[in-house]
Amino acid sequence: MESPGARRHRARPSRARPLLYTALAALTIVGGTAAGTVYVKAQAHSGAAPVSSAGTPSADGAVTADGDESMEPVAQPTVDRDALLAKAMTSVAVPADAEVSVAVLDVASGARAGYGDGAFDTASIVKVDILAALLLQAQDAGRQLTAAEKTYATAMIENSDNASATALWDVIGEADGLDAANKRFGLTDTAGGDGALWGLTQTTAADQLTLLGQVFGDDSKLSAASRAYLQGLMGRIAADQHWGVSAAADGSAWALKNGWLARSGTGLWDINSVGRVTAGGRQYLVAVVSRGNTTQAEGVTLVESAAKAAVRTLTEETTATTSTTSTTSTTSTTSTTSTTAKASAKAPSTSASSD
């Protein structure tokens, strides 16, 4: 039998119970949006739903009902990289009768830009395409390149040997073989030259950028071994051909193929260059095609200037983006710290009196 005192003690309502529910509430930061909005979830036995923290700062200085700032997501502006490149190209001196087109891709981010359009003669840059087609055909047949094919390939890419190019052009089936491979590579505006005229294959800067993606990218119809083989040859170009897109690289961090052709009808030069360069610690694929140059030297200067303008366009954008991201990150960290401090300050005391 309980004593009267004990019964009286059990019958008394506990003043600590309401505070206990509050004490069991766990203030947990459950996430932050891209704009830095932070949410606090009150988990109590009463099953309270997540609530927005009143102490979240705002990008536009908005203030909540209890006097604290709240942050709203800020939309990022769309970047027109083609327009940026067009602006950069205004500083490139293009000779009166010349035309130039350039395309560039940041390998890491996938950002790209293009300038100019229309089809151009490939001249010797088609030699990369010829070897890529040969490697694809060999893959399909489940075979390795023959010793003779390797000899031709080395001379064709490293020394730009025309006789070797003609030999492999015949092996792949001339224009039909090239076009069939290019369809699989994703080139849409490139057509092989008539008969033995592989140097008059028509292409665009955009298509050449797509081809470079097949040579240097992982998402390729070419196997890793085929890509490594072609990349290696493009990285060992003869010393007298160290010009073109390499002008946009840091030191010797590049792999390329150049093309040059004086048209018999006009005496004007086609000067082209395609390849991968490293600048500012990032890799870029660059393709430049031009025609109507009075001299080879004039065309080389034009191509190199266009390549540098293209890489600079994406490099400057990356630098600006990195700076903005760093500033946003610092602001977000400061805001989150402030929010956490305010949430802690507003949390009810967990102390309770007892009998």
Side-chain angles (χ1 to χ4, degrees), residues 129-168:
D129 205 358
I130 292 173
L131 182 50
L134 176 64
L135 290 167
L136 186 62
Q137 291 179 356
Q139 286 177 199
D140 290 344
R143 70 173 183 86
Q144 302 295 316
L145 298 189
T146 66
E149 288 171 342
K150 289 181 178 179
T151 297
Y152 288 139
T154 298
M156 178 178 71
I157 300 298
E158 294 185 4
N159 305 107
S160 203
D161 182 69
N162 291 337
S164 295
T166 297
L168 294 183

Side-chain angles (χ1 to χ4, degrees), residues 72-254:
E72 298 296 334
V74 179
Q76 295 299 320
T78 301
V79 179
D80 186 343
R81 299 184 183 90
D82 290 350
L84 292 176
L85 178 53
K87 182 179 180 181
M89 286 296 294
T90 60
S91 65
V92 175
V94 181
D97 295 326
E99 296 178 68
V100 63
S101 181
V102 57
V104 61
L105 169 74
D106 183 320
V107 174
S109 70
R112 65 176 63 212
Y115 172 84
D117 52 22
F120 291 73
D121 300 331
T122 56
S124 286
I125 61 171
V126 75
K127 292 169 181 175
V128 173
D129 205 358
I130 292 173
L131 182 50
L134 176 64
L135 290 167
L136 186 62
Q137 291 179 356
Q139 286 177 199
D140 290 344
R143 70 173 183 86
Q144 302 295 316
L145 298 189
T146 66
E149 288 171 342
K150 289 181 178 179
T151 297
Y152 288 139
T154 298
M156 178 178 71
I157 300 298
E158 294 185 4
N159 305 107
S160 203
D161 182 69
N162 291 337
S164 295
T166 297
L168 294 183
W169 179 252
D170 291 340
V171 171
I172 67 170
E174 298 184 336
D176 288 343
L178 188 78
D179 293 345
N182 283 341
K183 183 176 181 180
R184 294 169 64 185
F185 290 148
L187 279 66
T188 58
D189 295 304
T190 298
D194 294 334
L197 301 178
W198 45 260
L200 295 184
T201 294
Q202 298 297 292
T203 194
T204 63
D207 259 12
Q208 287 303 299
L209 194 66
T210 298
L211 179 61
L212 289 173
Q214 292 291 308
V215 175
F216 293 99
D218 294 331
D219 184 13
S220 173
K221 297 299 182 181
L222 296 174
S223 67
S226 293
R227 297 196 305 272
Y229 176 66
L230 188 41
Q231 291 171 24
L233 295 178
M234 293 176 70
R236 296 190 295 270
I237 298 297
D240 63 343
Q241 296 172 39
H242 288 190
W243 52 267
V245 296
S246 57
D250 292 340
S252 60
W254 50 262

Side-chain angles (χ1 to χ4, degrees), residues 20-110:
L20 179 60
Y21 281 103
T22 303
L24 291 175
L27 292 175
T28 307
I29 302 296
V30 298
T33 67
T37 305
V38 179
Y39 292 91
V40 177
K41 182 166 66 177
Q43 293 177 319
H45 286 274
S46 58
V51 295
S52 178
S53 168
T56 308
S58 170
D60 59 4
V63 180
T64 61
D66 54 2
D68 294 325
E69 291 184 345
S70 63
M71 179 172 285
E72 298 296 334
V74 179
Q76 295 299 320
T78 301
V79 179
D80 186 343
R81 299 184 183 90
D82 290 350
L84 292 176
L85 178 53
K87 182 179 180 181
M89 286 296 294
T90 60
S91 65
V92 175
V94 181
D97 295 326
E99 296 178 68
V100 63
S101 181
V102 57
V104 61
L105 169 74
D106 183 320
V107 174
S109 70

Side-chain angles (χ1 to χ4, degrees), residues 216-346:
F216 293 99
D218 294 331
D219 184 13
S220 173
K221 297 299 182 181
L222 296 174
S223 67
S226 293
R227 297 196 305 272
Y229 176 66
L230 188 41
Q231 291 171 24
L233 295 178
M234 293 176 70
R236 296 190 295 270
I237 298 297
D240 63 343
Q241 296 172 39
H242 288 190
W243 52 267
V245 296
S246 57
D250 292 340
S252 60
W254 50 262
L256 61 75
K257 182 69 191 79
N258 295 324
W260 59 101
L261 173 67
R263 296 306 308 267
S264 57
T266 63
L268 299 177
W269 287 78
D270 296 330
I271 303 293
N272 308 322
S273 184
V274 297
R276 181 181 66 185
V277 303
T278 299
R282 301 177 72 88
Q283 291 187 335
Y284 300 90
L285 302 182
V286 191
V288 188
V289 289
S290 74
R291 60 173 166 242
N293 300 284
T294 303
T295 64
Q296 181 179 2
E298 179 182 84
V300 169
T301 297
L302 173 58
V303 164
E304 291 185 339
S305 297
K308 287 189 283 188
V311 171
R312 184 171 63 250
T313 296
L314 295 190
T315 300
E316 290 177 349
E317 183 200 348
T318 299
T319 300
T321 301
T322 300
S323 176
T324 300
T325 301
S326 177
T327 301
T328 302
S329 177
T330 300
T331 302
S332 178
T333 299
T334 301
S335 299
T336 302
T337 301
S338 175
T339 298
T340 303
K342 290 182 179 180
S344 298
K346 291 182 180 182

